[in-house]
Amino acid sequence: MDYPYVVLSIAMAVLTGLLAQVRLVVGPIPYTLQNVAVVLAGIILKPKYAFMSMVLYLVLIVVGVPVASGFRGGLSVLLGYTGGYLAGFAVSAPLMSMLTRLYLRLTNKEIREIGVGDALVLLTLSFIAMIPAYVLGFLVFTYYALGSQAVMSWVERVIKYLNISLDDKLLQLFVVSVAIFIPQDLLMDHVLAITLAKYLSRILTYRGLEL
């Protein structure tokens, strides 16, 4: 096992926990910057280390380290209504890594060499990579929401505020648990992650690490 990559994996786990605290609470599901760390880990780490970084983050939560959003920790966090998103990180990060490396291999480029066009492709790939997190997040949140009148009342208020005409409860839940997060995730979090990855890769390759 290459220890520099293990250290990077640990760093990505810690970064995920730190960015979880940068949040805007608008309901049961807070806006956070965690996607920055998930996508960044996927770009700069090889698949197994990207997976390791997110699994380590989940382990830290399980053992009680307060690295989940709102400085929470414990198994109850992963078993709660936002647990699906967190579990999905362990799928999305390595998937982003595989998609990134496939694209770079096909274009014969390094991460540090990417231009605007490459960044747009990576942005598209980042959306694809996050689909597992969105799906798991939606499924788990829906499971809890359908059993809670308080949460469903919040969902209905959000839908009314957005002036969207939806009678189907599952579609309503999809909007409030996935759709409203995508613009921020894609246009802020993922753009920031790709930008950071380009410059971070220059430093890491200068230090002799193969990304």
Side-chain angles (χ1 to χ4, degrees):
M1 185 175 290
D2 298 317
Y3 290 106
Y5 298 104
V6 174
V7 172
L8 275 177
S9 299
I10 295 172
M12 286 298 102
V14 172
L15 180 63
T16 307
L18 291 174
L19 292 179
Q21 314 316 324
V22 183
R23 64 183 195 142
L24 175 62
V25 180
V26 294
I29 308 172
Y31 281 95
T32 73
L33 292 183
Q34 285 175 292
N35 274 26
V36 174
V38 177
V39 174
L40 181 60
I43 297 176
I44 68 169
L45 295 173
K46 296 175 182 178
K48 68 176 181 179
Y49 294 110
F51 175 73
M52 179 188 297
S53 68
M54 293 301 114
V55 169
L56 176 57
Y57 174 63
L58 297 180
V59 169
L60 290 173
I61 292 175
V62 170
V63 300
V65 181
V67 290
S69 179
F71 294 101
R72 295 176 300 138
L75 183 59
S76 61
V77 175
L78 287 186
L79 298 179
Y81 48 81
T82 60
Y85 303 99
L86 298 174
F89 291 168
V91 181
S92 292
L95 179 56
M96 182 64 193
S97 179
M98 289 185 282
L99 291 173
T100 298
R101 276 146 188 78
L102 175 61
Y103 173 73
L104 294 175
R105 189 160 56 246
L106 291 174
T107 56
N108 195 31
K109 289 185 177 180
E110 300 289 338
I111 298 170
R112 65 182 185 275
E113 300 170 338
I114 61 174
V116 175
D118 302 310
L120 291 175
V121 173
L122 290 178
L123 190 61
T124 302
L125 296 179
S126 71
F127 173 72
I128 296 172
M130 289 306 299
I131 288 176
Y134 291 138
V135 171
L136 287 172
F138 168 71
L139 292 175
V140 173
F141 180 74
T142 296
Y143 171 79
Y144 282 103
L146 290 176
S148 170
Q149 184 58 48
V151 174
M152 288 307 301
S153 295
W154 171 80
V155 170
E156 292 170 1
R157 289 196 300 272
V158 172
I159 294 298
K160 183 177 180 180
Y161 175 79
L162 295 174
N163 198 27
I164 299 175
S165 179
L166 285 176
D167 294 324
D168 187 279
K169 291 189 182 299
L170 291 180
L171 287 178
Q172 291 178 354
L173 287 164
F174 176 78
V175 169
V176 303
S177 66
V178 176
I180 62 173
F181 292 96
I182 291 176
Q184 177 216 322
D185 290 347
L186 199 61
L187 301 178
M188 186 169 74
D189 296 14
H190 297 195
V191 169
L192 181 56
I194 293 167
T195 303
L196 288 172
K198 178 177 179 178
Y199 293 101
L200 184 58
S201 68
R202 291 178 180 177
I203 297 172
L204 295 175
T205 51
Y206 176 77
R207 301 292 296 178
L209 292 181
E210 180 183 342
L211 304 179

